[in-house]
Amino acid sequence: MNTIFKDETFRDDFTFSNSPAAIKRFPFPYWEDKYRYSVNIEPHVPGPKGSVYEFPFDVDEHYVSDMRDRALVLKEDPTRCQALPHMMLAQWDTLELIMTSLARDYPEHFSLERNGDDWHWINRPLRIENKFRFGDASTLPYEPMEYITRQCQGDFTLSDQRDNNLWMDAGIATAQADWSLDFDVGMNFMEWHAPVPLAHEAGVFDRALKFLLALQYGKPVRRLNWTMTINPRLDTSPENYHKWGPDRATVTPENVGDKVHLRVELQALWRLPRSNAILFSIRAYLIKMDELVTDLNKARRMHRVLQTLPPELAEYKGITRYFDVTKEWLAKYDDGKPTPVGF
Ligand code: HEM
C-alpha cells in the first residue's frame, strides 16, 4: 500500500481532513436507523482489502501526524502513560504483537529482525531505528508499551486478569473521549465502566466481562463505539477539558458541517501469550459532517440515529449542547426513503 502521510494538526489551527479514500473507508458504526448499547463483539479477522479491518493494526494517512500529537500530549502530561510494576511481561507481549503485525502487514514502512532475544526494529515513516534485547527494558529508550505505542495509532489499555475480573493496570491514553487513565488505573471492569448509563441495567457489562474472561490467545475480537467531537481534536481528555469543553458552545447552523465530527472508535481485544493479560486498543477515526454527508445513505442514517437517541446517551456522550442544531442540519439529507440493507 502506498500511503502518503499527511502533515496536519489536531489542535490550534486544526488542519486535519480526510482524503476521499479515507472518507470511503471510514468505519460507519450504525447497522440500523437507531443506536442502543449492546454487546456488539465480533471476531477481529482480516476484512476487505483497503478497509480499516484489513490488518489487526490499521496504519492510515494520519499516522505521522497522529504520532506527533501523541508525543505533544505526553510531553505536557506524562501521566497519560502508566504501567503498574507487575505489568512488565504484558508490556513485552504488547511490543511483540504490534511489532510483528506492523512488520508483516506494512513491510514498506516497518521491519523487524529477530535473532533470539536480539531484536532490530526499523520504523521508516517516523525515522526510528533501535537494536534492543527483548525482555530487557534498559535497552529501549522507553518502557516497552510506551516505546511501541508511541509508534502505533490508537489508545491502549492492558488489563490483568485475576479474581474473575479485569484490572486496568497499564495503558496509554492521549486521544480519549473524556475518560482518564490516571483516574481509572488500578480499577476493575465494573468500576471503570460505572459512569456508563443504561448498559449496566441491560446486563451488557455482565455479559461482556464473562465473554472477555474466556477470551482465547490467537482469537482477538473487536467492536465499534462512537461519540461526537467539536473540531478534529484527538485529545478530549478530562485533564484538558478546559481546552475543548468550551468548543461545544461554538456550534451554529452555519458551521455544523465543518465543526461537528463523528468520532468512531474501532476497539480490539487480544489475549496476550506470556502474561495472560488483555490488550485493548481504541483506535479513533474522525470525520466532519461535511465529509460524512458526501454519502447520502450515511447522512440519512446519521440523522435518524440522532433523532432516536435516548437522552441519557446524548448526555453521557456530552453532545447535548449542539445536538439539536446538528440534527436540524442533517434533516435536509433525510428524504424519508428506507436505507438500503448493508450499504
Ligand atoms: C465506555 C474501557 C471493554 C462497552 C468505556 C470507558 C472506558 C472503557 C475507559 C469510558 C467510561 C467513562 O465514562 O469513564 C474499556 C476497556 C475494556 C472495555 C479497558 C476492555 C478491557 C468493553 C466491552 C464492551 C464495552 C467489551 C462491550 C459491551 C462500553 C460502553 C461504553 C464504554 C457501551 C460507553 C461508551 C459511550 O457511550 O461512548 N469503556 N472497555 N467496553 N464501554 Fe468499555
Side-chain angles (χ1 to χ4, degrees):
M1 194 167 77
N2 274 327
T3 312
I4 296 170
F5 297 115
K6 299 174 80 172
D7 182 3
E8 57 194 355
T9 56
F10 302 90
R11 52 179 73 209
D12 305 324
D13 56 351
F14 295 112
T15 60
F16 167 91
S17 70
N18 288 298
S19 68
I23 293 174
K24 204 157 169 235
R25 76 199 290 275
F26 189 86
F28 194 60
Y30 317 113
W31 63 85
E32 52 183 351
D33 285 346
K34 64 176 195 260
Y35 177 81
R36 296 291 182 275
Y37 287 143
S38 65
V39 187
N40 55 332
I41 299 177
E42 61 176 5
H44 192 30
V45 289
K49 201 171 159 31
S51 74
V52 299
Y53 307 113
E54 182 177 3
F55 300 123
F57 299 93
D58 181 39
V59 174
D60 69 6
E61 64 188 21
H62 309 297
Y63 175 67
V64 171
S65 300
D66 260 14
M67 295 296 96
R68 186 172 52 207
D69 199 73
R70 162 154 296 163
L72 285 173
V73 175
L74 289 170
K75 197 169 168 210
E76 285 165 9
D77 182 3
T79 70
R80 301 300 193 85
C81 181
Q82 300 194 35
L84 300 184
H86 64 277
M87 298 306 279
M88 191 48 90
L89 199 54
Q91 291 201 44
W92 285 108
D93 278 336
T94 302
L95 175 138
E96 177 186 53
L97 174 64
I98 297 179
M99 278 191 180
T100 53
S101 302
L102 294 183
R104 180 195 59 221
D105 299 332
Y106 302 92
E108 69 282 33
H109 299 317
F110 308 98
S111 51
L112 177 66
E113 275 171 37
R114 288 187 283 182
N115 187 0
D117 285 339
D118 290 318
W119 292 28
H120 181 189
W121 167 251
I122 300 176
N123 175 332
R124 288 177 202 90
L126 297 183
R127 299 199 178 94
I128 293 173
E129 177 167 3
N130 281 101
K131 289 182 177 165
F132 62 96
R133 207 162 163 75
F134 187 85
D136 181 354
S138 71
T139 59
L140 279 173
Y142 301 100
E143 287 197 358
M145 178 190 69
E146 179 170 355
Y147 177 75
I148 196 57
T149 56
R150 277 175 175 266
Q151 303 178 49
C152 189
Q153 289 165 279
D155 287 340
F156 294 86
T157 69
L158 274 170
S159 294
D160 193 28
Q161 182 161 330
R162 55 181 193 271
D163 304 334
N164 257 343
N165 215 326
L166 294 173
W167 303 82
M168 198 192 287
D169 286 346
I172 182 161
T174 62
Q176 71 269 47
D178 204 9
W179 64 274
S180 165
L181 176 73
D182 194 40
F183 184 72
D184 284 1
V185 81
M187 284 189 186
N188 70 37
F189 192 84
M190 293 304 173
E191 288 169 346
W192 79 64
H193 278 123
V196 182
L198 306 180
H200 292 270
E201 303 86 300
V204 165
F205 290 123
D206 285 328
R207 289 203 300 281
L209 177 60
K210 206 168 165 190
F211 180 90
L212 291 184
L213 290 174
L215 186 68
Q216 287 177 32
Y217 172 63
K219 295 191 175 161
V221 295
R222 67 177 172 235
R223 62 185 295 269
L224 293 178
N225 184 43
W226 69 277
T227 187
M228 297 181 105
T229 306
I230 301 311
N231 297 323
R233 191 189 289 277
L234 282 177
D235 176 17
T236 49
S237 57
E239 287 86 352
N240 273 333
Y241 181 80
H242 57 287
K243 294 186 185 161
W244 58 268
D247 290 352
R248 299 187 295 186
T250 64
V251 182
T252 64
E254 291 70 41
N255 65 21
V256 167
D258 188 45
K259 275 202 175 266
V260 179
H261 288 67
L262 175 62
R263 183 198 140 103
V264 174
E265 297 176 350
L266 169 52
Q267 306 179 339
L269 295 125
W270 287 263
R271 174 72 66 192
L272 297 177
R274 300 172 185 80
S275 57
N276 199 42
I278 289 185
L279 174 68
F280 181 62
S281 63
I282 313 156
R283 172 64 197 283
Y285 295 85
L286 291 167
I287 190 168
K288 63 167 79 171
M289 288 299 115
D290 274 344
E291 292 173 342
L292 186 114
V293 300
T294 56
D295 180 337
L296 185 57
N297 286 324
K298 289 185 179 149
R300 189 196 288 122
R301 177 155 286 175
M302 187 80 228
H303 177 242
R304 292 177 189 176
V305 164
L306 293 189
Q307 258 188 329
T308 54
L309 196 70
E312 296 92 334
L313 261 69
E315 179 69 34
Y316 170 71
K317 289 176 187 290
I319 61 183
T320 40
R321 189 78 195 245
Y322 52 91
F323 192 66
D324 287 339
V325 67
T326 305
K327 246 185 338 191
E328 278 152 29
W329 187 87
L330 281 165
K332 59 181 173 288
Y333 298 96
D334 193 344
D335 50 13
K337 290 189 184 149
T339 306
V341 179
F343 70 85

